[in-house]
Amino acid sequence: MQENKKELVINWHITEVCNYDCQYCFAKWDEHAPREEVCRDTASSRTLLGELSAFFSPDNPDNPLHSSLQWGNIRLNIAGGEPMLHDKHFYRVIEQAAELGMKASIITNGSYLTPESVPKIAPHLSWLGISIDSSLSTSNRIIGRNDAKGLQLDLEKMPDLLGLARSINPELRIKINTVVNSENHKEDFQPLIEALSPDKWKIFKVLPIINRHLQIHDGEYEAFVLRHSAFSQIMYPENNEEMRESYIMIDPKGRFFQNSEANLPDNYRYSQPIHEAGAKQAFSQIRFSLRKFDSRYRTTQAS
């Protein structure tokens, strides 16, 4: 029998703390206090990851995805906020995931990628994802992609950093995430994508429930995608409807969450904490579209 190499991707937002202030960031939970972040507690994070590993095991028939999907392993995608702000917690979570046989990936704004940090993380990742929404300083400032001192990601250094990461880990794949909005929908990303040479480019439409000032209509989003069709082999567009209820997402408190109902206080529905209630019970408490999830898995890995 041929080995099944498909991955089931679980996205854990270990923190909402970030050095940037992107206006349409959905990973903000106003009720959340940093001291409640599960990743800060060794025992709780180990319990949470153990629950995920057991419940989402390819051999667990009690998992509701088991009947229609096949996957060979689990990948823990670590996100934020900015996960690399949590230096020691971030690395410990990766180690704990590896002990359970999970692969690991990260989504970062790239600001903490340096010649010193890249050799530390590259050997432990299967995917390195970077959120890049513009190559223009003025657009990044309006979007909020700069820190308190006004510093922005140095894109001129990024090709060398990614080259270093690939030289350290030849199996490492690179992904770029771009949120299309009113500030960048007319921008030409071709020089940037050619310079970074990612293995995947995911293109999202800005969520209007987060920021209506930067929202665009479907035609503007589709025009952006069409204009960059030269990258169709690596480009994976996802509009708002395709995203809703189709990702396995965990918040800093260790709860499954979905942005399925706009009439909720902060637009999210939460489960009980996974490390307290168990993954099976917690997963049953959120709405999840198996059809959308299944559809995305038939075309690309759902990361």
Side-chain angles (χ1 to χ4, degrees):
M1 178 182 292
Q2 185 176 7
E3 181 183 3
N4 183 2
K5 295 185 178 181
K6 278 191 175 183
E7 297 178 327
L8 186 76
V9 182
I10 302 171
N11 300 277
W12 184 11
H13 296 262
I14 64 172
T15 182
E16 70 177 79
V17 178
C18 188
N19 56 325
Y20 286 177
D21 188 27
C22 301
Q23 296 301 297
Y24 42 70
C25 178
F26 73 89
K28 293 181 178 179
W29 300 269
D30 292 338
E31 62 174 292
H32 169 67
R35 58 183 168 76
E36 299 178 60
E37 293 172 342
V38 173
C39 72
R40 292 174 177 268
D41 184 79
T42 302
S44 294
S45 62
R46 181 179 289 113
T47 300
L48 183 147
L49 292 173
E51 283 289 328
L52 296 177
S53 176
F55 181 64
F56 290 106
S57 167
D59 301 321
N60 179 20
D62 290 336
N63 187 291
L65 309 180
H66 187 272
S67 61
S68 61
L69 293 180
Q70 292 185 337
W71 62 95
N73 57 70
I74 302 169
R75 171 155 57 90
L76 181 71
N77 187 47
I78 304 171
E82 175 47 53
M84 291 188 70
L85 275 170
H86 275 0
D87 195 348
K88 64 178 182 179
H89 304 308
F90 165 70
Y91 289 112
R92 178 170 42 74
V93 167
I94 288 179
E95 291 173 359
Q96 290 176 332
E99 290 170 1
L100 291 165
M102 296 182 186
K103 294 186 177 182
S105 59
I106 180 177
I107 294 293
T108 172
N109 62 30
S111 62
Y112 285 87
L113 294 176
T114 66
E116 294 72 37
S117 67
V118 167
K120 292 175 64 178
I121 66 171
H124 307 290
L125 301 177
S126 57
W127 281 91
L128 170 59
I130 309 172
S131 297
I132 301 177
D133 293 342
S134 180
S135 59
L136 305 177
S137 176
T138 52
S139 294
N140 280 319
R141 186 172 62 252
I142 293 170
I143 291 170
R145 283 201 169 276
N146 48 248
D147 64 18
K149 296 180 180 179
L151 298 177
Q152 299 180 3
L153 183 64
D154 189 342
L155 291 173
E156 292 185 1
K157 294 181 179 179
M158 195 54 60
D160 288 341
L161 289 171
L162 296 184
L164 174 61
R166 284 167 161 148
S167 69
I168 294 170
N169 180 1
E171 300 298 318
L172 178 67
R173 291 186 283 179
I174 306 297
K175 179 178 68 166
I176 303 299
N177 281 1
T178 297
V179 178
V180 183
N181 60 86
S182 61
E183 279 301 314
N184 68 2
H185 74 94
K186 294 182 180 180
E187 187 175 337
D188 181 8
F189 275 66
Q190 180 172 343
L192 175 65
I193 299 301
E194 288 178 345
L196 301 181
S197 187
D199 299 279
K200 181 185 293 186
W201 183 23
K202 297 199 76 172
I203 302 175
F204 306 97
K205 180 185 174 188
V206 62
L207 286 168
I209 62 172
I210 305 298
N211 188 299
R212 298 188 180 278
H213 173 64
L214 292 171
Q215 71 178 327
I216 55 174
H217 56 69
D218 289 343
E220 291 170 320
Y221 172 75
E222 292 162 4
F224 180 94
V225 173
L226 181 62
R227 193 167 65 252
H228 295 94
S229 59
F231 300 103
S232 59
Q233 293 300 310
I234 63 167
M235 184 169 60
Y236 297 90
E238 286 192 18
N239 62 32
N240 299 160
E241 182 55 34
E242 290 169 332
M243 292 170 60
R244 185 174 292 113
E245 299 179 6
S246 67
Y247 278 81
I248 301 175
M249 300 188 294
I250 301 169
D251 80 339
K253 289 183 176 180
R255 305 173 297 181
F256 290 116
F257 74 96
Q258 288 290 352
N259 59 334
S260 57
E261 299 180 46
N263 61 334
L264 294 171
D266 57 1
N267 300 310
Y268 300 130
R269 177 175 293 281
Y270 300 98
S271 73
Q272 293 176 273
I274 298 163
H275 55 291
E276 296 176 1
K280 181 177 181 179
Q281 179 173 332
F283 195 67
S284 70
Q285 295 169 350
I286 61 166
R287 294 177 58 176
F288 185 82
S289 174
L290 180 58
R291 177 187 60 79
K292 292 179 184 178
F293 194 77
D294 188 19
S295 175
R296 188 143 43 81
Y297 259 79
R298 292 183 188 280
T299 57
T300 180
Q301 292 293 286
S303 59

